[in-house]
Amino acid sequence: MPPMTQAPAKKRLYIKTYGCQMNVYDSERMADVLAPLGYGLTDTPDGADLVVLNTCHIREKATEKTYSELGRIKELKLAKAAAGGAMTIAVAGCVAQAEGEEIMRRQPAVDFVVGPQSYHQLPELIARTHRALGQRLAADFAAEEKFDALPPERAVTGVTAFLTVQEGCDKFCTFCVVPYTRGAEYSRPVEAILAEAEGLAAKGVRELTLLGQNVNAYAGERGLAGLARQLAKIPGIARIRYTTSHPRDMDDALIAAHGELDALMPFLHLPVQSGSDRVLKAMNRGHAADHYLRLVERIRAARPDMALSGDFIVGFPGETDREFEQTLELVRQVRYAQAFSFKYSARPGTPAAALPGQVSEPVKEERLARLQDLLNEHQSDFNLAQTGRTLPVLFERAGRRPGQVVGRSPYLQPVHIEASERLIGTITPVLITHATRGSLTGQIAQDAMAIA
Ligand code: SAH
Ligand code: SF4
Ligand code: F3S
């Protein structure tokens, strides 16, 4: 007998994600929003029913990627149309927010544009497109409405998950587009976050990375420290991380929590951008280099093994050789476990783009190379110092080579060992035997084998 009902034909959804972890979270949530409409994820845009580019506007290069990718996707849309099919193209994320109108002008193949606080409206935008109501632009700033409208269930499969707790930025660093693309600082209610985290834990998630453009400005009751303490009580949740933090929002309660709460991992991404007070002031960072160094001291007093990570910009308008040297000096004092460094990119509409003394490309290149050499050296040193130590590793997935599993140390270093995939989801002590700048290798520690 034929089945009474047939499962609806799966529509194919392709999402490409650029930019920061908040975009990664948003892409997952977009898939959650679209699943009830019959969309299932596919890993190629070729032949997809819906293509979403979740874009980043932070530097010029990131923005340009959107347009070049759209050129390629348009060809696929034409090919599908020629074969009698249809493809809908949507641009989401920060480029959508910043230059929605321009996207639709430059690339008419785009059906609609949806900003980072509006993607809960995807079903409506798709319906409008299908009813040929023309191109649409959704660029609201109401983060609260979005979170209320998202489905409570998340389709996670891994042992680690991102969880957005805070959005937006009120800091207005003079180089940065984020306050304009993501809107004002907004903190989700504690109850909503706990409910989402419990759902994740029930699906096997063991590590949460709390996300926010200014995550340590989290303004729920008792701040981020209070939130971390509550999350740590959820059965199954063994590790908590958070990113990105602003030095101005690193309060005593959060520093103290690092000394007290085992679940809070000893890794902190704390961007400083520059080591020069004049540059920091021109960037409107709201802190001096010395303030940052003292902050790092206090954090390390609470948690002596804290691994630090940072972001740097070289060639900010007016940056002199001497000022750049001050950045190197700060790096030597902190000794980062890892870091991201960028050439200053003038962003339309930001105050710094109009400053005199824009630094030439060759000078930026040279400074970036010198800074990265130093950062790389420290990263290698940090990893090499782990050899001979036994570290608790949360195993996340099978490795590329057969028989290999990969996890992360408390300091966020990838750790590869030869062992059974049964370790995935466990926290197992690993004796580190070898290190490179990018990762560690080791073997299950002897005492752990005795237990196993
Ligand atoms: N909210 C986070 C991340 C912002 S974007 C924070 O405040 O740290 C991530 C990094 O990109 C920034 O820390 C900065 O180092 C870099 N960045 C931002 N705008 C930039 C620009 N116009 N040019 C070059 N790098 C930039
Ligand atoms: Fe951008 Fe500064 Fe806000 Fe970070 S704190 S998102 S760098 S404006
Ligand atoms: Fe990029 Fe927007 Fe994130 S500009 S870095 S995707 S907040």
Side-chain angles (χ1 to χ4, degrees), residues 290-312:
D290 183 57
H291 164 257
Y292 182 86
L293 290 170
R294 278 185 286 120
L295 178 60
V296 167
E297 256 171 40
R298 279 163 52 217
I299 294 164
R300 284 184 166 150
R303 182 79 207 219
D305 64 339
M306 181 68 85
L308 280 154
S309 163
D311 288 343
F312 296 89

Side-chain angles (χ1 to χ4, degrees), residues 20 22 56-60 166 168-169 171 173-179 212-215 243-247 269-273 283 285 310-314 316 340-347 350 352 364:
C20 63
M22 307 212 44
C56 174
H57 194 56
I58 200 79
R59 284 166 290 274
E60 192 180 349
Q166 183 275 340
C169 181
K171 305 287 192 295
C173 298
T174 54
F175 52 82
C176 184
V177 295
V178 171
Q213 267 89 20
N214 285 274
V215 72
T243 197
T244 291
S245 297
H246 195 291
H269 183 61
L270 194 65
V272 66
Q273 316 296 354
M283 287 177 163
R285 288 290 293 178
D311 288 343
F312 296 89
I313 295 177
V314 301
F316 183 82
F340 303 96
S341 46
F342 312 98
K343 289 183 283 184
Y344 169 73
S345 170
R347 309 305 292 123
T350 59
K364 283 190 210 169

Side-chain angles (χ1 to χ4, degrees), residues 15-32 41 54-56 93 119 154 160-164 182 211 213:
I15 306 183
K16 182 153 184 173
T17 309
Y18 300 87
C20 63
Q21 288 143 321
M22 307 212 44
N23 263 12
V24 175
Y25 176 86
D26 290 341
S27 291
E28 287 180 16
R29 300 303 266 143
M30 287 183 214
D32 291 338
L41 281 170
N54 194 8
T55 61
C56 174
Y119 61 78
R154 287 184 55 186
T160 65
F162 289 143
L163 173 45
T164 293
R182 293 270 171 173
L211 299 181
Q213 267 89 20

